[in-house]
C-alpha cells in the first residue's frame, strides 16, 4: 500500500523520478510512523488528564484545574516533569535488562497502533493478519514487564512481574477466543476487512455486536478480558499499589517510568480500538457510506466516528477503574479459567454453528429479508 | 458448585458491577455532587462559636492576669505596671499562638470580656518566634519607662501641691487634684492597630516602635532613677516564654 503511494507520488512529482523507489517508500513509512506516534503520544497525554478528571468527578472532587484553563495543560507539566527527573538505576540492578525493559513494553504497546483502522484509508499498514499481529505484538508487553520485574532486583518488582506474566498469559486465551467470532464473520484476519464486513446501510445494526446473540456476549467478554490484559484496576494486581508498592515499575523513575505509563494508556487505546473495529462497526458512519464519499470527507468522517467510539470505550475503562475494587490473585485466575475461558469457547462454538446454519447471515439481515 | 450456582455467580457479578457503575456515573455526571472548595479562593465560613486565634482588645484589658493564671499551657504572658492614676497599664501582652491549645478557658474567665476568639485559623511562619502575637505595639521597656515618668511627674506634682497647700493651708483641694491631672496623657498604649507585629522575635534588640516616638525614647533614657516606683505587677510567668 505504501509502495503504491510512493509510485503515485513519483508520478505526480516528476522531479522525484531520479530517486530510487525504495527511498521514497522508506520516507513515506517514516512519515506515517511519525504521524501515528504523535497521535499516540498526544492521546496518552490527554488520556491521563481525562482519567484524573473522571476520577475527580466520580469521587466528588474537581481534579486537576491549575495548569491552563480547567487544568488542560496538566499533562504537559507532568510530561516535562518526568523528562527532567533524575534517572535512577539501582546499584544491584541488571543494568542492560533494566534499560531494555521499558522499550519492550513501549514497543509492544505502540507497535499495535500500526494496524488500527482509523478510517477508510487511514491505516498505517493493512496487514492481512492484523488481529493475529496485534495479539502477537502486545504479548511483547509481558516480556517487558517480566524483564522489568527481574532486572530491578527488588522483591516487589519481581512479584509484580510474575503476577503480570501469569495474568496476561491467562487472559490472552479469552481475548483471542472472544475476537474470533468477528474473524469468522468477516472471513479475514485483516482489520480493514473485518470493519468492511460490518457495513451495509443498516445503521448500527450492521455491527457485529448485533449480528447474533453470541457476538453480543462476545463483545462484553472481550472487553472484560482485554481490560485484564491491560493491567488496569480492577485487574491491576501486577501493580497493586497497596500490596506491591508499584509492582514491576517500582524502581523506575523519570522518562523510563513514563514509558511504562504511556504504554498502559497505549494499551487501553489498542484494546478499545480493537473492540470498536471488531464489534462496534469500526469507522462506519451510520446511514452513510463513508467509502463512497470523496476521499477527504470520507476519511475525516470515518476518522471522527472511529475515534469517538474508541475513546468512548477508553472512558468506560476509566469509569470501571474508579468503580470496582481490585480482585485478589486467586479471584483473578478463577475468573479467567473458570468463567471467561469456558464462556468464550461456548460463544465461539455458538457463532460457528450460527454461521453454518444461517449461511453467515445475522439477525438484522434476516429481519430485513423478511420485508423484502 | 452446581451449574445453577455457576450461572448465578455470573449474574451476580454482572448485576453488582452494573449497580456500582450506576452509582459512580451519578456522581460523575451530577455537578452538584462536587463538594470540593477551591481553598485559597473560596472558603468555609467558620461557625460563630469557632475558637480561632485569640485577640485581646488592650483598650479594655484591665491587666487582671486571670487569663495568665487559668491558661493550662502557659501560652499567655503579661506585664503591667501601675500607672499614675493607680490603674494598671499593660506593658506587654503576648500570646504564643503556636503553643495555645484553643481550650477557651482564658476567654471564659476574662472579666472585661476583652479577650476573644476570632475566626482566624490561617498562619504560617518560618520560625516559631513569629507565632507569638504581640498585642501591645510598643516595646515593654518603653511603656514602663513612660509610665514611670508619668508616675514620677504625678508624684512630684502632688508633692508640690502638698507643699503649696501646706503653705497656703488650702486643705480641701489636696485630695482631688492628683487624681485628675495625669489622666489626659495616661492611656499609655496609643490606639494603634493591635495586631501590628514589630520585630517579633528579636524584640529586645530592636525597639522599632520606640524610634517613632522621641518623647518616650527620652523617657526611657532618664528612667533608672524612678525604678522603685514600678512594681512589675505580678506577671505570673516573667514573660520568658515570649522571648524565644
Amino acid at each position: 500500500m505504501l509502495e503504491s503511494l510512493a509510485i503515485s507520488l513519483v508520478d505526480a512529482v516528476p522531479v522525484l523520478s531520479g530517486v530510487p523507489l525504495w527511498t521514497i517508500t522508506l520516507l513515506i513509512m517514516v512519515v506515517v510512523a511519525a504521524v501515528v506516534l504523535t497521535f499516540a503520544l498526544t492521546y496518552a497525554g490527554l488520556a491521563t488528564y481525562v482519567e484524573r478528571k473522571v476520577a475527580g468527578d466520580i469521587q466528588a472532587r474537581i481534579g486537576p484545574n491549575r495548569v491552563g484553563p480547567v487544568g488542560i495543560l496538566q499533562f504537559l507539566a507532568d510530561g516535562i516533569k518526568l523528562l527532567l527527573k533524575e534517572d535512577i538505576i539501582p546499584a544491584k540492578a541488571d543494568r542492560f535488562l533494566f534499560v531494555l525493559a521499558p522499550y519492550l513494553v513501549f514497543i509492544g504497546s505502540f507497535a499495535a497502533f500500526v494496524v488500527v483502522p482509523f478510517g477508510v484509508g487511514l491505516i498505517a499498514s493493512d496487514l492481512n493478519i492484523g488481529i493475529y499481529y496485534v495479539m502477537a505484538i502486545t504479548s511483547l508487553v509481558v516480556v517487558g514487564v517480566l524483564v522489568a520485574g527481574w532486572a530491578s532486583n527488588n522483591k516487589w518488582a519481581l512479584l509484580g512481574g510474575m503476577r503480570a506474566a501469569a495474568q496476561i498469559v491467562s487472559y490472552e486465551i479469552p481475548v483471542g477466543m472472544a475476537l474470533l467470532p468477528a474473524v469468522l464473520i468477516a472471513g479475514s484476519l485483516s482489520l480493514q476487512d473485518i470493519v468492511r464486513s460490518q457495513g451495509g446501510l443498516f445503521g448500527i445494526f450492521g455491527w457485529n455486536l448485533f449480528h447474533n446473540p453470541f457476538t453480543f456476549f462476545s463483545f462484553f467478554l472481550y472487553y472484560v478480558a482485554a481490560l485484564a490484559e491491560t493491567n488496569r484496576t480492577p485487574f491491576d494486581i501486577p501493580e497493586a499499589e497497596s500490596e506491591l508498592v508499584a509492582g514491576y515499575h517500582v524502581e523506575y523513575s523519570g522518562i523510563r517510568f513514563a514509558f511504562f505509563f504511556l504504554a498502559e494508556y497505549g494499551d487501553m487505546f489498542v484494546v478499545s480500538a480493537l473492540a470498536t473495529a471488531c464489534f462496534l462497526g469500526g469507522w462506519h458512519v451510520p446511514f452513510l457510506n463513508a467509502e463512497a464519499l470523496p476521499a477527504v470527507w470520507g476519511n475525516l468522517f470515518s476518522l471522527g466516528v472511529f475515534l469517538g467510539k474508541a475513546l468512548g470505550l477508553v472512558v468506560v475503562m476509566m469509569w470501571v477503574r474508579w468503580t470496582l475494587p481490585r480482585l485478589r490473585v486467586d479471584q483473578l485466575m478463577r475468573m479467567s479459567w473458570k468463567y471467561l475461558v469456558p464462556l468464550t469457547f461456548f460463544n465461539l462454538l455458538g457463532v460457528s454453528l450460527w454461521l453454518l446454519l444461517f449461511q453467515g447471515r445475522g439477525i438484522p439481515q434476516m429481519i430485513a429479508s423478511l420485508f423484502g | 458448585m452446581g451449574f445453577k450456582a455457576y450461572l448465578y455467580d455470573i449474574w451476580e457479578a454482572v448485576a453488582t458491577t452494573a449497580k456500582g457503575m450506576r452509582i459512580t456515573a451519578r456522581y460523575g455526571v451530577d455537578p452538584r455532587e462536587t463538594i470540593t472548595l477551591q481553598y485559597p479562593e473560596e472558603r468555609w465560613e467558620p461557625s460563630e462559636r469557632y475558637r480561632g486565634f485569640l485577640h485581646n482588645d488592650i483598650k479594655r484589658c484591665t491587666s487582671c492576669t486571670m487569663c495568665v493564671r487559668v491558661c493550662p499551657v502557659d501560652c499567655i504572658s503579661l506585664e503591667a505596671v501601675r500607672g499614675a492614676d493607680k490603674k494598671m497599664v499593660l506593658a506587654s501582652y503576648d500570646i504564643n499562638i503556636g503553643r495555645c491549645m484553643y481550650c477557651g478557658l482564658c476567654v471564659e474567665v476574662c472579666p472585661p470580656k476583652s479577650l476573644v476568639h476570632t475566626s482566624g485559623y490561617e498562619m504560617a511562619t518560618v520560625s516559631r518566634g513569629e507565632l507569638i502575637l504581640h498585642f501591645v505595639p510598643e516595646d515593654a521597656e518603653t511603656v514602663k519607662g513612660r509610665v514611670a515618668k508619668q508616675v514620677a511627674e504625678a508624684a512630684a506634682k502632688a508633692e508640690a501641691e502638698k507643699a503649696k497647700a501646706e503653705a497656703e493651708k488650702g486643705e480641701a483641694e489636696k485630695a482631688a487634684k492628683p487624681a485628675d491631672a495625669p489622666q489626659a496623657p495616661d492611656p499609655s498604649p496609643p490606639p494603634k492597630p493591635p495586631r501590628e507585629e514589630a520585630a517579633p522575635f528579636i524584640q529586645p534588640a530592636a525597639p522599632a516602635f520606640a524610634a517613632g516616638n522621641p518623647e518616650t525614647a527620652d523617657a526611657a533614657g532618664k528612667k533608672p532613677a524612678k525604678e522603685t516606683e514600678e512594681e512589675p505587677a505580678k506577671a505570673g510567668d516573667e514573660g520568658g516564654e515570649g522571648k524565644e
Side-chain angles (χ1 to χ4, degrees), chain A residues 4-44:
Chain A
S4 63
L5 205 65
I7 290 169
S8 60
L9 188 70
V10 172
D11 285 345
V13 189
V15 185
L16 293 173
S17 53
V19 186
L21 191 62
W22 64 266
T23 322
I24 298 172
T25 311
L26 194 66
L27 214 65
I28 292 177
M29 279 179 181
V30 170
V31 169
V32 169
V35 168
V36 171
L37 193 66
T38 309
F39 163 77
L41 293 178
T42 317
Y43 144 77

Side-chain angles (χ1 to χ4, degrees), chain A residues 57-58 60-62 65-66 319-320 322-324 338-339 342-343, chain B residues 1 6 9-10 20-21 24-25 27-28 33-36 38 41:
Chain A
D57 282 344
I58 284 176
R61 296 184 287 114
I62 292 176
N65 64 344
R66 290 282 137 181
W319 178 13
V320 171
W322 295 104
T323 301
L324 296 176
K338 289 178 80 172
Y339 293 90
L343 285 178
Chain B
M1 189 164 72
Y6 180 82
D9 266 8
I10 296 172
M21 288 179 72
T24 47
Y27 274 86
E33 299 283 6
T34 301
I35 58 164
T36 309
Q38 293 293 290
E41 284 102 39

Side-chain angles (χ1 to χ4, degrees), chain A residues 36-37 39-40 104-118 122-127 129-141 191 222 229-230 263 265-274 277 306:
Chain A
V36 171
L37 193 66
F39 163 77
L104 287 180
V105 174
F106 187 74
I107 291 168
S109 166
F110 279 86
F113 274 73
V114 169
V115 293
V116 171
F118 287 102
L122 297 175
I123 181 166
S125 176
D126 184 13
L127 298 179
I129 50 162
I131 284 192
Y132 186 71
Y133 167 78
V134 171
M135 303 286 300
I137 201 82
T138 51
S139 298
L140 203 57
V141 174
L191 277 164
Y222 169 72
E229 232 198 326
T230 55
Y265 282 90
D267 262 344
M268 281 165 70
F269 183 81
V270 169
V271 159
S272 301
L274 227 55
F306 183 83

Side-chain angles (χ1 to χ4, degrees), chain B residues 129-151:
Chain B
E130 289 172 56
L131 287 172
I132 299 166
L133 307 178
H134 305 281
F135 290 98
V136 180
E138 289 167 291
D139 194 43
E141 294 307 316
T142 316
V143 177
K144 282 186 201 167
R146 192 175 59 236
V147 171
K149 189 180 161 203
Q150 286 163 356
V151 169

